[in-house]
Amino acid sequence: MKYALYTGCTARESTPELLKSTLTVAKELGIEIEVLNEASCCGAGHLQDFDEFLSLTINARNISLAEKRGLKLVTLCNTCQLMLENTKRKLDSNEDLKEKVNEKLSEIGYKYTGSSKIQHFLYAILEDVGLEEISKHVKRPLNLKIAPFYGCHIIRPSKTHDGDNLNENPYKPNAIENLIKILMGESIEYDSKTRCCGFHVDLQNTPLSEKLTADILIDADNNGAEAIVTPCPLCHLNLDVKQRSAAKEANKNINIPVLHLPQLLGLAFGYSKEELGLNHHIVDVNL
Amino acid sequence: MKVVLKVFRFNPENEDKPKYEKYELDLREDAVLLDALNEIKWKIDGTLSYRRSCRHGICGSCAVKLNGKNVLACKTPLKKAIEDFGEELVVEPLSNKKEKIIKDLVIDKKDFWDKNHKVKPFLIAEIDEHPKTENLIKPEEVEALEEADYCIACGCCYYACESLRENKEFLGPQALAKTYRFSADKRDNAKKERLSLVDSLGIGVWDCVKCQACIEVCPKGVDPFTKITHLHNQIFEEGIAKKNVATKHAEGFVHSIKKHGILDEGMLVLYSEGVNVIRHLPEAFSMFAKGKIKFPWNMPKSDQLEEIQKLVEISQTHELKD
């Protein structure tokens, strides 16, 4: 089994622990990874505000990198996943647009065909490895109360994900809960698990972003979570790096560790804090 | 078909707090949620209050929350709802904030309507009252509106909006999609005025948190988020965009992609904020201490950067003007 890995920018910069733990866990699960080092930024949900067409051409190129290799394109970030899928859905459903984009791509020797599936690492391992096989790698049962936090772009809009997220119900997702269960942890139920962390307005409306983040942290904390786990590095930045300022905005004391999804798997597989990059977190992880 | 509904009940005139009432119903296989509410009101408890009118998904009055999802009661088959949410179906008003409840599932939508009015949801044009010929609009000009004209102002998106949860001033997805309905209409004369309004920080497009909840709930497929994206684009196309942290942030991605292929996170913040970047220093220090910051000398670049640079050069369609 081999994936073309679209790391996204965050995993190469402010969340190096995400890339590290992903590579560790993929190796454990017997997945070969080819990192797409020629990929560009997906535009992170902001480039298309400035220039919709440019966002399509650069993401069509990103997708075609996996197509050229004949591999599934696997992402590590909710927003990268949505940006790439948005491009795929638009081009696959509009021949004229696809032609216009391919006209530009041909000038740099590329062609978008639509042949590669695009899937977030969470759903890729569920589809290709499966819960039963993953459970065989558990060496250190979690025995923790975990708050699953999905973030927005991996579950909404369901029509765009169109099966790539295994038809997750955006109001009642269960992929992370299923994983927590086989890793022998306990997932807590709380209202905020499908809410928004506010990351995308963090610069232009910081109080709004901090309030939304604080709402999630407080809700998880009130429901007895010992840690939060998220499949999205942007949510991670808000929940971990901004935890102190969010707590201050909400006038509360909060201190709750936040894990990336592969780190949670890695912990249960028996890997050390260093192998999973837990030393990079702002809120100490002592689980 | 046996259906069990748990329905939010609250009469602020003589009750202190809301409660949930359970109703066991026997309905046709093809029953929709509105049938269930009618069954309760007509046969079990006439005091249940909810809005309804057309029962054809046109009037937008019967919007309620079903297991956390805002829906039109008349367009929601119960069989599918049970498939999606299990046997326990919970019906609540679009907002369960106490101050908004008039009675049971009926809420005061004043804030929603105020914002709808604020964007002037009508055509602004000089109209000859005695025209000699028809005022024709070409099919491709109508296509530019996309689905924006399908909005029935039911409020499903507005009361699902994550930005509005903590920013009461935000115009919200319905009013913004409505703005696009007219800013994309060739016959409308107020495009710049409309775009200036929605370009304002705090109330306009820049405060959308991009949560996609509006797309997910819209029962008419309006796709408000995409209309918000089009508004952003029109704001740049028409030269309305003022240089500020939000517009510089959107534009900053192009600079960064041209320079590194991938995003230079630190430079993007610096580029967007200007001197205000100092407010991020405490965070930056703690990130630096944990190895979360790349400096110009160790900033990674995409392989084959020249391809990306050329692609940006040949496909960029907008520029930020002041």
Side-chain angles (χ1 to χ4, degrees):
Chain A
M1 194 184 318
K2 191 172 176 185
Y3 294 156
L5 186 71
Y6 181 84
T7 64
C9 308
T10 310
R12 293 176 71 181
E13 296 178 59
S14 54
T15 61
E17 69 277 8
L18 172 59
L19 185 54
K20 193 172 187 181
S21 55
T22 302
L23 295 176
T24 304
V25 166
K27 197 171 173 194
E28 169 78 26
L29 294 175
I31 301 165
E32 204 184 325
I33 297 280
E34 186 170 344
V35 176
L36 298 176
N37 287 318
E38 325 94 288
S40 71
C41 171
C42 71
H46 295 281
L47 177 66
Q48 92 275 5
D49 288 346
F50 181 63
D51 195 326
E52 276 187 285
F53 185 68
L54 178 59
S55 161
L56 289 176
T57 56
I58 64 153
N59 283 318
R61 177 182 172 278
N62 286 332
I63 299 168
S64 68
L65 294 172
E67 292 179 349
K68 276 207 291 198
R69 291 164 167 89
L71 297 173
K72 182 185 269 189
L73 181 57
V74 170
T75 63
L76 299 179
C77 167
N78 288 14
T79 301
C80 297
Q81 175 67 24
L82 182 62
M83 290 305 106
L84 294 166
E85 274 184 317
N86 261 338
T87 302
K88 183 172 169 59
R89 302 288 168 250
K90 280 181 190 154
L91 300 187
D92 290 355
S93 64
N94 185 337
E95 281 298 320
D96 288 349
L97 189 61
K98 190 160 97 178
E99 204 175 301
K100 271 185 203 149
V101 166
N102 271 333
E103 233 170 69
K104 301 291 178 193
L105 287 186
S106 69
E107 293 193 39
I108 55 164
Y110 282 77
K111 188 181 179 188
Y112 170 86
T113 64
S115 62
S116 277
K117 186 165 184 166
I118 306 168
Q119 214 165 23
H120 187 284
F121 186 71
L122 164 64
Y123 295 104
I125 59 168
L126 285 174
E127 184 167 276
D128 300 329
V129 185
L131 284 172
E132 201 187 324
E133 179 58 32
I134 296 171
S135 71
K136 291 179 190 159
H137 295 263
V138 175
K139 296 194 185 76
R140 200 184 71 131
L142 287 175
N143 292 324
L144 288 168
K145 286 188 174 173
I146 313 275
F149 182 72
Y150 283 83
C152 300
H153 296 163
I154 201 170
I155 49 172
R156 290 185 292 263
S158 47
K159 65 170 184 183
T160 306
H161 296 304
D162 190 30
D164 288 347
N165 67 358
L166 311 182
N167 296 314
E168 192 85 273
N169 177 345
Y171 298 93
K172 203 184 165 189
N174 61 20
I176 305 180
E177 284 85 339
N178 290 342
L179 272 174
I180 291 172
K181 197 172 166 192
I182 60 147
L183 304 176
M184 296 180 196
E186 185 189 333
S187 50
I188 64 149
E189 269 305 320
Y190 68 125
D191 289 343
S192 301
K193 78 175 173 193
T194 58
R195 283 191 172 156
C196 175
C197 73
F199 178 85
H200 289 284
V201 292
D202 195 46
L203 280 186
Q204 63 263 38
N205 193 339
T206 309
L208 171 59
S209 163
E210 287 176 350
K211 278 179 199 157
L212 291 174
T213 290
D215 289 349
I216 297 155
L217 293 165
I218 293 165
D219 196 9
D221 197 35
N222 286 346
N223 282 284
E226 292 167 90
I228 297 175
V229 65
T230 177
C232 178
L234 307 183
C235 297
H236 192 275
L237 285 172
N238 257 25
L239 295 169
D240 178 54
V241 174
K242 299 213 66 181
Q243 190 170 122
R244 256 177 264 164
S245 40
K248 206 171 152 195
E249 173 74 33
N251 222 354
K252 291 262 182 185
N253 241 335
I254 311 168
N255 187 33
I256 185 163
V258 187
L259 299 171
H260 297 279
L261 188 93
Q263 291 178 320
L264 190 77
L265 290 156
L267 279 177
F269 294 167
Y271 287 97
S272 69
K273 282 178 84 165
E274 289 70 30
E275 285 167 302
L276 301 171
L278 292 170
N279 51 316
H280 287 292
H281 289 224
I282 301 293
V283 178
D284 285 339
V285 186
N286 292 307
L287 300 170
Chain B
M1 176 173 63
K2 301 274 180 214
V3 178
V4 181
L5 282 193
K6 261 174 75 182
V7 183
F8 177 97
R9 301 296 309 264
F10 182 41
N11 184 351
E13 282 183 12
N14 54 25
E15 289 167 345
D16 293 335
K17 55 176 192 213
K19 58 179 184 294
Y20 288 82
E21 203 86 59
K22 206 169 180 176
Y23 301 96
E24 288 177 25
L25 310 168
D26 195 5
L27 298 161
R28 284 164 49 130
E29 289 287 308
D30 59 356
V32 293
L33 179 57
L34 184 62
D35 295 325
L37 296 175
N38 288 339
E39 181 83 0
I40 298 169
K41 186 164 182 78
W42 295 340
K43 296 190 183 156
I44 304 173
D45 184 352
T47 69
L48 175 67
S49 296
Y50 53 97
R51 287 193 176 104
R52 67 188 163 86
S53 180
C54 78
R55 75 184 181 87
H56 285 294
I58 302 293
C59 74
S61 55
C62 68
V64 290
K65 195 183 287 293
L66 177 67
N67 293 60
K69 181 181 185 183
N70 295 349
V71 298
L72 289 183
C74 70
K75 296 276 281 179
T76 305
L78 288 168
K79 210 167 180 181
K80 175 80 170 52
I82 292 168
E83 265 171 48
D84 289 347
F85 297 111
E87 294 293 327
E88 188 175 271
L89 296 181
V90 185
V91 189
E92 295 169 301
L94 289 176
S95 166
N96 57 12
K97 288 203 178 79
K98 230 174 154 179
E99 67 276 11
K100 291 239 183 266
I101 311 291
I102 296 174
K103 186 170 175 288
D104 301 334
L105 303 175
V106 180
I107 61 163
D108 179 356
K109 286 167 78 177
K110 185 177 185 304
D111 55 338
F112 170 83
W113 290 116
D114 283 351
K115 287 171 184 171
N116 180 61
H117 293 320
K118 196 166 183 170
V119 302
K120 298 187 181 165
F122 42 82
L123 201 69
I124 297 175
E126 294 286 331
I127 293 175
D128 182 355
E129 285 178 25
H130 305 287
K132 301 218 167 33
T133 55
E134 272 185 281
N135 188 8
L136 292 176
I137 178 165
K138 292 181 194 149
E140 57 269 30
E141 288 166 352
V142 178
E143 272 170 27
L145 309 182
E146 297 180 354
E147 315 85 353
D149 206 26
Y150 302 165
C151 176
I152 55 171
C154 61
C156 281
C157 64
Y158 183 85
Y159 294 100
C161 173
E162 286 285 280
S163 184
L164 272 162
R165 202 150 55 76
E166 293 288 4
N167 176 10
K168 306 288 173 251
E169 301 304 313
F170 182 50
L171 285 166
Q174 188 272 340
L176 291 171
K178 195 59 95 178
T179 302
Y180 178 76
R181 157 66 187 84
F182 293 100
S183 70
D185 191 320
K186 286 272 274 202
R187 300 164 298 177
D188 190 77
N189 291 337
K191 187 171 184 179
K192 290 206 167 173
E193 184 194 320
R194 294 183 192 281
L195 294 175
S196 295
L197 175 72
V198 302
D199 182 45
S200 317
L201 294 184
I203 66 164
V205 291
W206 302 105
D207 281 69
C208 163
V209 292
K210 303 180 185 290
C211 71
Q212 318 287 312
C214 56
I215 304 183
E216 195 64 46
V217 294
C218 178
K220 305 299 283 186
V222 168
D223 199 341
F225 174 76
T226 305
K227 307 302 169 283
I228 294 173
T229 300
H230 294 339
L231 286 173
H232 278 111
N233 273 245
Q234 288 182 338
I235 284 167
F236 284 110
E237 272 165 15
E238 296 291 323
I240 303 283
K242 303 276 181 304
K243 276 192 179 156
N244 60 37
V245 63
T247 55
K248 295 271 283 180
H249 183 230
E251 187 222 15
F253 277 82
V254 183
H255 286 266
S256 196
I257 292 170
K258 271 189 197 161
K259 198 166 171 192
H260 302 281
I262 70 168
L263 186 69
D264 183 340
E265 294 171 334
M267 283 309 288
L268 181 72
V269 176
L270 182 63
Y271 181 82
S272 312
E273 289 276 24
V275 288
N276 277 335
V277 77
I278 52 167
R279 74 190 180 99
H280 298 283
L281 284 183
E283 218 166 83
F285 282 127
S286 64
M287 288 176 80
F288 172 69
K290 298 286 187 166
K292 283 178 168 290
I293 291 208
K294 291 273 188 266
F295 289 101
W297 53 89
N298 62 1
M299 178 61 209
K301 278 185 168 47
S302 301
D303 290 353
Q304 285 151 36
L305 178 59
E306 64 292 348
E307 278 175 16
I308 300 169
Q309 288 167 331
K310 184 168 181 202
L311 187 60
V312 173
E313 195 191 311
I314 58 176
S315 29
Q316 186 173 342
T317 53
H318 296 163
E319 277 175 40
L320 178 61
K321 300 163 202 149
D322 203 344

